[in-house]
Amino acid sequence: MTAVPMLAGVGLMMVCCSSLSSFMMMGDDTKKKEDDSDSDSDSDSDSDDDADDADADDGSPDPYATFCDVAKTDWINSKLQDDGMPQSQGESLQKCKVPNKYQARIEPVAFCDVAKTDWINSKLQEDGMPQSQGESLQKCKVPNNLQARIQ
């Protein structure tokens, strides 16, 4: 009679050990896949610009595996200028990071504050001046969060 509980115990132990070894093997596969993906992402980036590689080594993971080319950088710049989109959002949409060598292609945008936005709105209302002309005179762009002030 003691053989049945003992056999049950041995069987249970075999099932547990089998499950544990399968679980441990899956962990090893996951680790190998992570290591492989790290080496793949390095091959996708521009290797001709060592300055960019130094910037990516700040300890934080780089969210983009590739650097933007000229066309993507110019598209991001146009979205900054036309829509007031932040550079980070443009990079996210293009799935790339603007490298240092193309950063000069990103033109800074001066956004209007409330007073300048209200002045532009008054010119639209009183003189029929287009918003773009008011922005040009004020040397700023009305940001999306203040656009509701323009009637």
Side-chain angles (χ1 to χ4, degrees):
M1 288 224 178
T2 59
V4 172
M6 192 165 134
L7 275 174
V10 169
L12 181 62
M13 188 169 74
M14 289 177 64
V15 170
C16 290
C17 290
S18 172
S19 297
L20 181 60
S21 67
S22 295
F23 179 74
M24 291 175 69
M25 286 173 46
M26 285 176 24
D28 288 344
D29 289 345
T30 305
K31 179 68 175 148
K32 288 178 185 174
K33 287 179 184 173
E34 288 173 3
D35 292 341
D36 291 343
S37 67
D38 288 344
S39 64
D40 290 345
S41 67
D42 291 341
S43 64
D44 292 340
S45 64
D46 290 342
S47 59
D48 59 339
D49 191 5
D50 293 334
D52 294 334
D53 293 336
D55 291 342
D57 198 18
D58 64 356
S60 62
D62 189 5
Y64 310 109
T66 60
F67 290 108
C68 301
D69 58 13
V70 171
K72 288 181 178 182
T73 300
D74 289 347
W75 182 89
I76 292 168
N77 182 55
S78 72
K79 289 297 183 183
L80 260 78
Q81 303 303 317
D82 299 339
D83 302 337
M85 179 185 292
Q87 179 176 338
S88 59
Q89 186 178 359
E91 290 173 334
S92 177
L93 290 170
Q94 290 293 329
K95 294 181 175 60
C96 63
K97 176 85 173 126
V98 175
N100 286 340
K101 64 184 177 182
Y102 297 144
Q103 194 63 44
R105 299 181 79 90
I106 303 292
E107 301 168 30
V109 178
F111 290 106
C112 302
D113 58 14
V114 172
K116 289 181 179 184
T117 300
D118 288 346
W119 182 89
I120 293 168
N121 185 53
S122 71
K123 292 299 180 184
L124 263 79
Q125 300 302 315
E126 296 167 8
D127 303 338
M129 179 186 293
Q131 180 176 337
S132 58
Q133 185 179 357
E135 289 173 335
S136 178
L137 290 170
Q138 289 294 326
K139 296 184 174 95
C140 63
K141 173 124 179 86
V142 175
N144 290 337
N145 65 331
L146 296 180
Q147 195 64 45
R149 298 179 79 89
I150 303 291
Q151 299 171 357

